[in-house]
Amino acid sequence: MRIATITNWAYGATVCLTIASGIAMLMASSAEKVERQAVEQRYVFDQLTEEVEVDAWALSDLARLYVIKQTPAVADEYRQKAASMVGVEHRLQKLKDAGASDEELALLHEGLTVADALQDEQQRAIASVNSGQQAQAIERLYGERYESELEQAQNQLDHFRQMLDRRTDVAIEDATAKSHALRTLSEVMVGLTALMFLFVLGFILKRRVLRPVVRLSDVVNRLASQDYAVEAPDYRQIDEIGDMAQAIRIFRENGLVRQRLEKERDADWAIRELLARMTQRLQGCESVEDVLNVARLFAPSIAPGIAGRLYLLEHAPWQMRCAAEWLNPQGEPDPFHPDQCWAVRRGQSHPPVNGEPDIACYHLPDSCAHHALCVPLIAQGEAIGLLSFQNLTPEMAPSRAYLELMAEALGLALANQRLRDALLEKALFDPLTGLRNRHHLEDALRTQMNQALHSGNPVSCLMIDIDHFKAINDRLGHEAGDQVIKGVAAIVQRAVSDKGMAFRYGGEEFLALLPGADEAAAFATASEIHTAVHGLALRYELSEIGPVDVSIGIASYPQHAQGENLLRAADVALYRAKELGRSRIVSFGMLEAGNQPPGANI
């Protein structure tokens, strides 16, 4: 029941009790009035009876006095007294009007009749005295009969007075008892009113209002401080307190939802910041390995607790190769054909919707095939790789959009690195031979010379030129010449691959840098190249190109030159080899000594 209803009922009961108490008080007052009226009536009756009794005795005394003394003054006084006395009917009516009962009036009537008979005897005695019969008059007023009638009148009046006293006492007792009962009833009503007030104050205010309000106030204060872990009291009564408790429960539930949404928003912002930071790091990557390191670092934070792998698409052979993994994904990172992944086939994330049945990718282990997500790495409309996530759950996984954004950023970074590598290869490598070009030579020479300067190790340079190359071009054409250049480049690359770096220096000129090699070691490598080229058998279409020879100039640091002068010294030695008839090896040291070591002419 609602507090307002209880309060209204209590208020109504209090009003009713108050009205009843007032009525009881009025009735008690009325009973007291009856008691007062009974006392007043008794006083009136006593006064009337006393008047009758006094008048009767006064007339009797005056009559006897006149009979004895025969004084005219006494006779006059008697007549005046008798004249002033009213008749019996008048006295009876007066008592009747005062509230006397019929029995009391009958008794009083008998007494008054006797008093009137006595008055008649008195008048006869006076008449006898006036006629000279004094003795007869004295006998009449002092005889036994007169005394008996006088005593009878006295007895009747006493009896009337006793009846009147009894009735008055009963009336007073009844009025007193009724007044006491009504006063008691009024006090009970007042007590019930007080109890009702105490009930309302104690039960409703303390138990139904104060105690729940204190608990609800504590809950509200904690909710105001965003402490949504507090449990709201479960007041399910249908009243204002129940409504307040229900409102607080709804407020708490809304606060929990808002708190969860805020946490999700904060988590989203954190993931966005991680994605932005990852994108910034990817922009600074200078190699594919840098991109893979960034993926290993940021993927566990963007998708916490979710294991995964990053695959790269290789063209030779045509397969997906695992390039990076994190958080120990299930299964072996074996290469697989791109058609085994539905995400690569479709060019979209697979499965399209989390939690709904769909065909699983064939490259995934059976234990996690239905809790996995594959996101292709797309660049310029083509798949260049794949992100594979395992053991995704709705509670753990971030939004699919974030995983797709991560894949997009990684795909763009990998595509940029491939483009960068392709541009770098075009900028630093010769497209015909695959050797480094002269642009790369400047950086490589500077690096090798700085390392040699700090370490004190020697560096040697081989300058290689194909002999009579113009004649080959003129006789067989440029395609045959290109074939010769590629053959010689392959021999040079093979000879220095584990010792240094090979460069295409010009049209038919090559250069090799040999860090850590002195003049003798460089001469040995040059001899190896010279011999291999001389034994090279090349054919172009149906014609044999013929023997191919090279001239080689050698210069070493620090014996022959410093810094960039190393190239000039090797070029001078090469020029000297051509002057001596080509197909030979000449060291710059030989030019300084004015002779040549054995085997210099081959």
Side-chain angles (χ1 to χ4, degrees):
M1 184 180 294
R2 291 187 173 273
I3 295 175
T5 304
I6 297 176
T7 305
N8 292 335
W9 276 101
Y11 175 76
T14 303
V15 171
C16 293
L17 290 174
T18 303
I19 294 175
S21 176
I23 293 174
M25 290 292 293
L26 292 175
M27 293 176 68
S29 299
S30 177
E32 291 179 353
K33 184 177 181 182
V34 171
E35 182 181 356
R36 288 193 300 271
Q37 289 176 351
V39 173
E40 291 175 356
Q41 187 185 56
R42 179 177 182 178
Y43 172 76
V44 171
F45 284 174
D46 286 342
Q47 188 177 13
L48 290 175
T49 54
E50 185 179 358
E51 181 181 351
V52 172
E53 184 178 0
V54 170
D55 289 345
W57 282 101
L59 286 175
S60 178
D61 289 341
L62 289 174
R64 284 180 174 183
L65 182 61
Y66 179 75
V67 170
I68 296 298
K69 295 183 175 183
Q70 297 182 5
T71 303
V74 174
D76 294 338
E77 184 178 358
Y78 176 82
R79 285 191 293 271
Q80 292 177 0
K81 189 70 174 178
S84 63
M85 293 179 61
V86 296
V88 175
E89 291 81 6
H90 178 71
R91 295 181 179 180
L92 289 177
Q93 183 64 39
K94 196 172 183 180
L95 289 174
K96 184 176 181 181
D97 293 340
S101 64
D102 294 338
E103 183 181 0
E104 293 170 347
L105 292 175
L107 183 62
L108 183 60
H109 183 269
E110 291 179 3
L112 293 176
T113 302
V114 173
D116 289 341
L118 288 174
Q119 190 174 4
D120 292 339
E121 288 292 334
Q122 294 169 2
Q123 290 177 357
R124 289 191 191 98
I126 292 173
S128 295
V129 170
N130 293 331
S131 63
Q133 300 177 2
Q134 184 179 8
Q136 185 178 0
I138 292 173
E139 178 65 23
R140 187 180 294 276
L141 294 180
Y142 287 96
E144 292 181 359
R145 182 172 173 271
Y146 183 84
E147 290 290 341
S148 176
E149 289 180 355
L150 184 61
E151 185 177 357
Q152 183 181 0
Q154 181 69 38
N155 291 335
Q156 291 291 338
L157 292 176
D158 290 341
H159 189 198
F160 170 76
R161 192 177 288 112
Q162 290 175 0
M163 288 184 63
L164 182 63
D165 290 341
R166 284 197 300 271
R167 184 174 67 81
T168 302
D169 291 340
V170 171
I172 292 173
E173 289 177 0
D174 291 343
T176 302
K178 184 176 180 181
S179 175
H180 180 71
L182 291 174
R183 285 184 178 276
T184 303
L185 179 61
S186 176
E187 292 173 356
V188 170
M189 296 297 179
V190 173
L192 289 177
T193 304
L195 290 177
M196 183 66 66
F197 176 76
L198 293 177
F199 168 76
V200 172
L201 186 65
F203 177 78
I204 297 180
L205 294 183
K206 183 176 179 180
R207 181 167 184 153
R208 291 292 298 274
V209 177
L210 184 60
R211 189 181 303 170
V213 165
V214 170
R215 292 190 62 187
L216 293 176
S217 176
D218 179 64
V219 173
V220 169
N221 289 332
R222 293 180 63 180
L223 290 176
S225 61
Q226 296 186 351
D227 180 12
Y228 297 109
V230 61
E231 290 292 337
D234 191 14
Y235 296 133
R236 296 189 177 275
Q237 63 265 30
I238 304 176
D239 59 9
E240 292 79 1
I241 298 298
D243 295 342
M244 291 173 60
Q246 179 66 17
I248 290 174
R249 284 195 295 272
I250 294 174
F251 180 79
R252 175 178 175 270
E253 291 172 359
N254 293 338
L256 290 173
V257 173
R258 183 172 64 254
Q259 193 175 59
R260 177 177 58 80
L261 293 176
E262 289 177 353
K263 288 181 179 179
E264 293 177 356
R265 182 197 62 191
D266 294 341
D268 288 345
W269 277 110
I271 293 176
R272 291 181 184 181
E273 290 179 358
L274 286 173
L275 285 171
R277 192 184 309 165
M278 184 188 74
T279 302
Q280 292 174 354
R281 301 302 179 269
L282 289 174
Q283 291 174 354
C285 291
E286 295 184 353
S287 64
V288 173
E289 188 60 31
D290 287 345
V291 175
L292 299 179
N293 290 335
V294 171
R296 294 189 190 98
L297 177 63
F298 282 90
S301 298
I302 295 175
I306 299 176
R309 289 191 176 99
L310 190 152
Y311 293 89
L312 295 179
L313 180 61
E314 294 183 344
H315 296 278
W318 185 256
Q319 63 180 8
M320 285 286 183
R321 176 182 61 84
C322 180
E325 64 179 23
W326 51 90
L327 301 182
N328 301 319
Q330 301 180 27
E332 297 296 328
D334 298 330
F336 60 89
H337 194 275
D339 288 343
Q340 290 185 294
C341 180
W342 282 91
V344 177
R345 285 189 188 184
R346 300 171 60 245
Q348 298 176 353
S349 300
H350 187 83
V353 181
N354 288 333
E356 294 188 2
D358 205 330
I359 188 169
C361 295
Y362 305 123
H363 63 90
L364 295 171
D366 295 337
S367 58
C368 64
H370 297 286
H371 301 283
L373 175 67
C374 292
V375 184
L377 306 182
I378 305 296
Q380 297 178 352
E382 296 183 0
I384 62 173
L386 173 69
L387 276 179
S388 178
F389 300 98
Q390 296 182 3
N391 300 324
L392 269 80
T393 60
E395 296 79 14
M396 295 175 56
S399 173
R400 178 189 293 258
Y402 292 141
L403 300 180
E404 292 177 348
L405 285 174
M406 181 171 67
E408 181 179 350
L410 288 173
L412 181 60
L414 289 172
N416 290 338
Q417 289 303 318
R418 288 191 175 186
L419 179 60
R420 177 190 179 96
D421 292 343
L423 294 176
L424 185 62
E425 184 175 357
K426 291 181 179 180
L428 302 180
F429 291 87
D430 179 58
L432 179 62
T433 62
L435 300 179
R436 295 173 176 85
N437 56 25
R438 293 186 64 170
H439 296 290
H440 198 181
L441 173 61
E442 296 176 0
D443 295 335
L445 178 62
R446 187 180 304 109
T447 300
Q448 295 299 331
M449 293 305 297
N450 288 334
Q451 292 178 354
L453 181 63
H454 288 87
S455 64
N457 295 326
V459 177
S460 295
C461 176
L462 305 182
M463 190 74 75
I464 306 165
D465 184 74
I466 301 175
D467 294 335
H468 307 293
F469 181 74
K470 185 175 182 302
I472 296 174
N473 274 341
D474 293 342
R475 180 166 58 89
L476 298 175
H478 291 286
E479 293 182 358
D482 291 343
Q483 187 173 347
V484 171
I485 290 175
K486 288 193 291 184
V488 173
I491 293 173
V492 173
Q493 178 65 30
R494 190 164 50 249
V496 304
S497 59
D498 56 348
K499 302 173 185 178
M501 296 179 289
F503 301 86
R504 185 180 181 188
Y505 193 67
E508 68 275 13
E509 289 184 324
F510 302 92
L511 186 144
L513 284 179
L514 303 174
D518 56 9
E519 183 180 6
F523 198 91
T525 301
S527 298
E528 179 184 349
I529 294 173
H530 187 276
T531 302
V533 172
H534 185 73
L536 185 64
L538 295 174
R539 298 180 63 86
Y540 177 72
E541 294 181 354
L542 299 178
S543 302
E544 186 172 344
I545 296 178
V548 179
D549 288 311
V550 292
S551 298
I552 303 175
I554 300 174
S556 298
Y557 165 85
Q559 296 97 325
H560 307 144
Q562 300 289 329
E564 295 181 356
N565 293 331
L566 183 64
L567 298 183
R568 296 191 186 96
D571 190 50
V572 170
L574 176 60
Y575 183 75
R576 183 57 179 166
K578 291 181 178 180
E579 285 184 343
L580 294 175
R582 293 184 171 86
S583 189
R584 66 186 63 239
I585 302 172
V586 175
S587 173
F588 190 80
M590 295 163 51
L591 301 179
E592 292 177 341
N595 55 10
Q596 64 182 45
N601 295 323
I602 298 178

